[in-house]
Amino acid sequence: MAPREPDDEPSGIHCRLDELLAERGMTLTQLSEAVGVSIVNLSVLKNDRAKAIRFSTLIAICDALRCSPGDVLVRS
């Protein structure tokens, strides 16, 4: 087994998109359409595999979900 690369390490940040979408009865497809971000990119974020997120994307997600950045991203 190859040693883990530093980029493979957990970020310590958890994305709560699953919970927020469920609370609002919204699908990932609906969120994708609302914010103009691909389902693939939202899935990467939702599954805690994202290395970064643009502030503009985070704000668009927050606007669509009627929440604040601290509701979407939490320290794990």
Side-chain angles (χ1 to χ4, degrees), residues 10-69:
S11 66
I13 301 292
H14 169 65
C15 181
R16 296 187 59 246
L17 268 185
D18 266 346
E19 297 106 290
L20 293 169
L21 288 170
E23 288 171 7
R24 286 152 178 79
M26 184 181 246
T27 66
L28 198 61
T29 300
Q30 291 169 322
L31 181 62
S32 172
E33 292 168 358
V35 300
V37 174
S38 74
I39 294 171
V40 170
N41 285 339
L42 287 176
S43 181
V44 167
L45 181 62
K46 177 179 77 79
N47 292 309
D48 292 331
R49 294 190 316 261
K51 302 295 180 202
I53 184 171
R54 291 177 187 260
F55 286 149
S56 58
T57 301
L58 182 57
I59 293 302
I61 290 169
C62 290
D63 288 346
L65 296 176
R66 297 172 315 281
C67 66
S68 66

